[in-house]
Amino acid sequence: MTGTRRCAACGELFAPRPQTPDQQYCSALACQRQRKYRWHRERMQSDPDYRQNQIQAQVGWAARNPEYWCKYRLRNPDYTKRNRELQRIRNGKRIGIAKMDVSDCAPPFPSGLYRLSPIGHEAIAKMGACTVQLTVLPMT
Ligand SMILES: [Zn+2]
């Protein structure tokens, strides 16, 4: 069958399936992944309910799998090293960025509102909890 349409991802010609005449992406695995990723990204920007659901699912997953990123970093020392170096470069470029001692095992929470309450030390334990806005900066 000859192609009649250009794939929105790879640019190759393909023939849309009869069941999906509006098909924009060819059936290659990478192009289908790209389609799903773009759909997800678009929904994250345009649909507050979808975004909230995704964030809650991510927070829930991270809470159920606190060791995931820690183990991932241990399994992938090159990733960890590269990530640290890139972060050092990013930190250097941003003037006034707060120096934070973030543990390698810290779960990757998404941006959003969080309740911040002191733990441990008695003196600061008297402080009340407050709500903070955490913004996860994109990796560029
Ligand atoms: Zn394609």
Side-chain angles (χ1 to χ4, degrees):
M1 193 187 284
T2 52
T4 56
R5 189 172 292 170
R6 288 222 178 267
C7 171
C10 69
E12 295 293 322
L13 284 174
F14 73 99
R17 286 153 45 99
Q19 306 95 306
T20 34
D22 295 334
Q23 191 178 344
Q24 301 295 313
Y25 297 82
C26 76
S27 59
L29 194 60
C31 298
Q32 288 300 309
R33 282 208 184 110
Q34 189 60 230
R35 175 180 66 81
K36 285 175 193 163
Y37 169 73
R38 287 179 188 177
W39 181 88
H40 165 78
R41 199 177 53 181
E42 204 282 315
R43 283 294 291 276
M44 286 294 278
Q45 284 173 357
S46 66
D47 184 340
D49 288 343
Y50 180 82
R51 184 170 57 237
Q52 199 53 42
N53 267 331
Q54 288 291 304
I55 288 170
Q56 271 165 9
Q58 228 179 323
V59 169
W61 189 90
R64 287 190 305 276
N65 301 276
E67 73 294 348
Y68 175 81
W69 284 103
C70 185
K71 284 181 179 164
Y72 181 85
R73 288 184 172 94
L74 290 174
R75 279 197 313 269
N76 300 278
D78 288 349
Y79 163 84
T80 307
K81 187 167 175 275
R82 186 170 172 276
N83 207 31
R84 274 211 190 99
E85 279 161 10
L86 288 173
Q87 188 60 52
R88 201 171 299 135
I89 293 165
R90 283 196 296 270
N91 287 352
K93 279 182 186 160
R94 266 193 223 109
I95 297 163
I97 190 167
K99 270 236 168 195
M100 287 164 65
D101 185 21
V102 179
S103 156
D104 276 343
C105 296
F109 291 121
S111 297
L113 290 174
Y114 292 86
R115 180 173 291 276
L116 181 70
S117 56
I119 54 166
H121 201 273
E122 266 184 66
I124 58 168
K126 286 176 183 151
M127 290 163 59
C130 62
T131 304
V132 294
Q133 165 86 46
L134 289 181
T135 303
V136 177
L137 300 172
M139 307 257 288
T140 46

